[in-house]
Amino acid sequence: MSRTEVPPKPKPMTESGPEGSYCPPLGERPLTAGEAERTARMFKALGDPVRLRLFSAIASHEDGEACVCDISDVGVSQPTVSHHLKKLKDAGLLTSQRRGTWVYYRVEPSVLAAMGRLLAPAG
Amino acid sequence: MSRTEVPPKPKPMTESGPEGSYCPPLGERPLTAGEAERTARMFKALGDPVRLRLFSAIASHEDGEACVCDISDVGVSQPTVSHHLKKLKDAGLLTSQRRGTWVYYRVEPSVLAAMGRLLAPAG
DNA sequence: CCTTTATGTTGACATGTGTCGAACCAGTGA
DNA sequence: TCACTGGTTCGACACATGTCAACATAAAGG
């Protein structure tokens, strides 16, 4: 399958905020147990080389989204790719959408921004 | 032991760069296997709630450093704390130094900055 | 319907990880 | 030298995780 012509192509991606759980920069004050629990989930999701490559591939792909078939060459089997994508999705880092035959993944920008703030120079 | 008076108190922490392994923002281009491997180690180190709390406690502590006894109340045994501190150290996120009876940990600023760049708004 | 292609899910397995208690090492101070 | 305290290392264990092959599901096209 060549996958050159995209089907309907909808979804301009406007609203997106299932977040809500704020955490201060890591250097601002000691995190509470609850904050650490939530935050660790995100870091953990990116703590695997395969997931990091998948995430990076999607984030750097055209239009900020990518079909699974576009990013499946990371050295592991297809079920494993699917498994990792699910984990990234469960961590709130990705969203998925089926369009015709293919499934497209895109990064959740708000979460990425939140993680960036965590690592800010923290004065 | 009260630990109110600090012993000699040396080390102004000037040079610090055992880094050297650069990685582009996650959204700039797909990471290579090697880049992902190195980068994932750092995220993985912060992917545990206990380690995240320890790291945050040190980063937000006075002078950017903390004695183990200052941060040991995170709900796990003291050997476990030591174990996690070692992991953070192995990941390059912390450095340790013994001063008299106590061991002090401090965050490696260059690594924190590198992780921040990874999550930057990315193209 | 039946095939084919694209993804996701399940089951099984090896390996990794977090945790603790016990033993051990490093300074301090009598 | 000996005891005491802060911290690390060791050994063991339960549990989580990454991986794959096999199976299941979804859409498209005969």
Side-chain angles (χ1 to χ4, degrees), chain B residues 67 78-79 82 102 105:
Chain B
C67 166
Q78 200 274 331
S82 189
W102 302 287
Y105 281 83

Side-chain angles (χ1 to χ4, degrees), chain B residues 2 38 50 71 90:
Chain B
S2 57
R38 293 197 310 271
V50 173
I71 56 175
D90 288 347

Side-chain angles (χ1 to χ4, degrees), chain A:
Chain A
M1 220 170 232
S2 57
R3 205 207 126 277
T4 334
E5 21 60 54
V6 256
K9 175 68 177 182
K11 191 72 182 272
M13 184 67 178
T14 17
E15 44 71 55
S16 67
E19 250 313 88
S21 49
Y22 169 79
C23 275
L26 291 181
E28 187 172 304
R29 61 166 173 76
L31 259 49
T32 68
E35 288 169 344
E37 198 78 42
R38 293 197 310 270
T39 308
R41 264 197 289 272
M42 304 190 301
F43 281 109
K44 190 177 205 171
L46 292 181
D48 178 273
V50 173
R51 283 198 292 271
L52 207 46
R53 290 188 73 185
L54 290 172
F55 186 86
S56 174
I58 295 171
S60 62
H61 204 267
E62 192 174 7
D63 289 322
E65 73 174 10
C67 167
V68 176
C69 57
D70 288 327
I71 57 175
S72 295
D73 50 348
V74 285
V76 295
S77 71
Q78 189 274 329
T80 301
V81 167
S82 187
H83 167 72
H84 284 303
L85 287 173
K86 179 175 170 52
K87 283 216 153 185
L88 286 167
K89 194 176 161 186
D90 288 346
L93 294 172
L94 294 179
T95 58
S96 71
Q97 184 194 21
R98 173 158 223 133
R99 289 209 295 276
T101 304
W102 301 287
V103 176
Y104 291 82
Y105 283 83
R106 64 165 56 233
V107 315
E108 187 60 52
S110 64
V111 179
L112 200 57
M115 290 187 72
R117 275 194 299 277
L118 277 164
L119 298 172

Side-chain angles (χ1 to χ4, degrees), chain B residues 8-118:
Chain B
K9 176 66 177 184
K11 192 71 180 276
M13 185 67 177
T14 17
E15 43 72 53
S16 67
E19 250 314 86
S21 47
Y22 170 78
C23 275
L26 292 181
E28 187 172 303
R29 60 166 173 75
L31 259 51
T32 67
E35 288 168 345
E37 198 79 41
R38 293 197 310 271
T39 308
R41 264 198 289 272
M42 304 190 301
F43 281 109
K44 191 177 204 172
L46 292 180
D48 177 274
V50 173
R51 283 198 292 272
L52 207 46
R53 289 187 73 185
L54 290 172
F55 186 86
S56 174
I58 295 171
S60 62
H61 204 267
E62 191 173 9
D63 288 325
E65 73 174 9
C67 166
V68 176
C69 57
D70 287 328
I71 56 175
S72 295
D73 51 348
V74 285
V76 295
S77 72
Q78 200 274 331
T80 300
V81 167
S82 189
H83 167 73
H84 284 304
L85 287 173
K86 179 175 171 51
K87 283 217 153 188
L88 286 167
K89 194 176 162 186
D90 288 347
L93 295 172
L94 294 178
T95 58
S96 72
Q97 183 194 23
R98 173 161 223 131
R99 290 209 294 275
T101 304
W102 302 287
V103 176
Y104 291 82
Y105 281 83
R106 68 164 53 235
V107 315
E108 186 61 50
S110 63
V111 178
L112 200 57
M115 289 187 72
R117 275 194 299 278
L118 276 164

